[in-house]
Amino acid sequence: MSELKKIIDDITAFGVHPKVTMTTKHEHLKKLLVRMYSEFLNLNQPEADDTDYGETPDFDYEEIRKNVVSNFPELGWYGTVIEMENIDEKPTLIGDAVDDLADIIKDLLAVKWRFENTSEADAIWYFNFLMYAHTEQHLVDLLKYLKYKFG
């Protein structure tokens, strides 16, 4: 799990620090997202840790978003398909790459907090849950946007 922790640290840096310095930010972000997705897809069904650790802190979305904009000022809006199977029923909507990355980071900060304050089993279960329920769609949309925007 040290690989997952490293990926989480590297991705969350873009939402925690306002000026991450590197020359190939977009390429680096794409690689991190793919590595994170691979970690998720290769997880065996994790078992929940039944210990009651209380609630995960609520990380400040607006602060994360502000730092994402500072690190990636060129990210913007994009068109996407919401329901691929219902092509005849207004399938498009507007996406926001900044929101995608901010949501991914917010979710990963919660996983990171669990690694540091609960148990590894709890953190892995929570990562799997968040990916399945929320983060995966943001990740897929953001990767597609980054591919078409930056190559």
Side-chain angles (χ1 to χ4, degrees):
M1 280 304 106
S2 61
E3 175 68 10
L4 179 59
K5 290 178 187 179
K6 172 78 171 115
I7 294 165
I8 289 172
D9 285 344
D10 290 351
I11 293 173
T12 58
F14 295 120
V16 174
H17 306 292
K19 293 288 182 192
V20 175
T21 308
M22 66 179 56
T23 56
T24 58
K25 255 190 235 185
H26 302 106
E27 188 66 27
H28 184 66
L29 178 59
K30 282 194 312 187
K31 288 177 182 177
L32 288 169
L33 293 172
V34 168
R35 286 173 45 211
M36 183 177 91
Y37 203 23
S38 178
E39 289 286 321
F40 167 64
L41 294 174
N42 288 314
L43 273 179
N44 293 325
Q45 185 62 36
E47 293 197 25
D49 176 346
D50 292 334
T51 306
D52 182 6
Y53 294 107
E55 292 297 314
T56 303
D58 187 27
F59 296 94
D60 185 355
Y61 173 84
E62 292 305 322
E63 183 67 22
I64 294 166
R65 184 179 174 92
K66 183 178 83 176
N67 289 330
V68 166
V69 169
S70 175
N71 283 303
F72 297 98
E74 60 290 327
L75 294 185
W77 301 96
Y78 59 88
T80 190
V81 176
I82 189 167
E83 294 182 26
M84 296 183 86
E85 71 278 358
N86 293 326
I87 198 74
D88 296 328
E89 298 181 23
K90 301 179 185 174
T92 59
L93 78 134
I94 302 294
D96 177 4
V98 172
D99 176 70
D100 288 334
L101 185 51
D103 274 1
I104 291 167
I105 290 169
K106 187 172 190 241
D107 287 352
L108 292 179
L109 285 170
V111 174
K112 180 177 177 166
W113 183 88
R114 285 177 178 252
F115 269 119
E116 295 169 351
N117 295 283
T118 65
S119 71
E120 184 172 289
D122 180 60
I124 293 167
W125 178 88
Y126 199 63
F127 171 72
N128 187 65
F129 168 75
L130 285 176
M131 283 293 291
Y132 182 76
H134 181 249
T135 315
E136 182 180 24
Q137 189 61 56
H138 285 293
L139 184 147
V140 169
D141 290 344
L142 182 55
L143 279 172
K144 188 173 180 181
Y145 171 81
L146 291 170
K147 185 241 185 297
Y148 287 104
K149 176 94 175 167
F150 304 104

